[in-house]
Amino acid sequence: MTITKRTALGALTALLLFSVTACGSDGGRDINDPLPRQTRDAVLGLARDFTEQMAAPAGVKLKPKEEIIRFYDCVGEHDEVADDGRFYLRYRVRADLPRDQHIQTVRKLRKALKKQGFKDLGGNERPDDERPVIWNFEAEDGGEWYDLDVDSLNDLKGKEPDELQFRVSTTCFLPPGAKQQKF
């Protein structure tokens, strides 16, 4: 399976934005510009598809039974909170992988994503650290941005991390049929 922005990722391009700005920054937009409309189920489905397609070039199998799904109310740059049902998603899923393979695997993923036009925002490779790798990617298509974070996951029991974590954060969405509140 190869990653192409014209498959499921093409649909995500319009939906997923840089995780740091998830609903918190206007990105140069007017506060009352129309928000994209999606159901929570549709956004979750796209995030799942996205992480599966990201894991493929890394050669890892995701553990969907351990996924973490968090929907949040959107909060504006000036702490505005609307009553119109707008939301964003933070999604995380893990993949088993021995710690000594984390850096090599993420390097393989970086190479595959660069070929597909993703911007490599950088990260850290720390072979002797308890979290040997943290990396961030970003892509732009049609003026919309999305990103993916991949990192080594610490085991809470003090063992060496044996998992990679894939994270997706979305922009703010308005449910279909809801009237967008103005500020």
Side-chain angles (χ1 to χ4, degrees), residues 15-169:
L15 303 178
L16 302 174
L17 297 175
F18 190 58
S19 63
V20 174
T21 63
C23 301
S25 172
D26 65 12
R29 297 180 48 198
D30 181 77
I31 193 170
N32 290 313
D33 281 353
L35 294 172
R37 293 179 179 268
Q38 285 290 342
T39 65
R40 289 177 183 233
D41 287 343
V43 171
L44 177 57
L46 290 169
R48 285 176 173 150
D49 290 346
F50 184 73
T51 53
E52 285 182 24
Q53 287 196 36
M54 296 299 286
V60 296
K61 183 169 174 50
L62 298 176
K63 301 185 323 186
K65 290 183 180 181
E66 297 180 22
E67 68 187 356
I68 299 173
I69 304 162
R70 299 279 192 265
F71 287 99
Y72 296 94
D73 293 336
C74 297
V75 178
E77 187 172 4
H78 303 288
D79 295 327
E80 310 90 6
V81 179
D83 295 321
D84 56 9
R86 59 185 75 183
F87 67 92
Y88 68 98
L89 170 66
R90 294 218 173 157
Y91 177 78
R92 292 184 287 168
V93 64
R94 301 173 181 178
D96 285 326
L97 188 69
R99 176 183 178 193
D100 63 354
Q101 296 177 28
H102 286 196
I103 291 174
Q104 177 185 356
T105 300
V106 171
R107 284 179 181 167
K108 187 168 43 170
L109 177 60
R110 289 174 57 203
K111 185 176 180 179
L113 295 178
K114 282 181 184 181
K115 285 182 180 178
Q116 297 298 323
F118 284 65
K119 183 177 181 183
D120 186 337
L121 296 179
N124 293 301
E125 291 182 357
R126 304 171 299 215
D128 298 324
D129 196 84
E130 56 188 42
R131 289 181 70 199
V133 67
I134 300 172
W135 220 270
N136 181 258
F137 305 93
E138 181 178 73
E140 187 265 332
D141 189 33
E144 298 291 339
W145 294 88
Y146 60 94
D147 89 333
L148 170 77
D149 296 310
V150 181
D151 59 353
S152 300
L153 191 61
N154 282 339
D155 186 301
L156 298 176
K157 298 174 187 161
K159 298 187 318 186
E160 290 185 347
D162 60 353
E163 296 176 311
L164 279 180
Q165 175 175 249
F166 294 77
R167 294 180 290 180
V168 174
S169 294

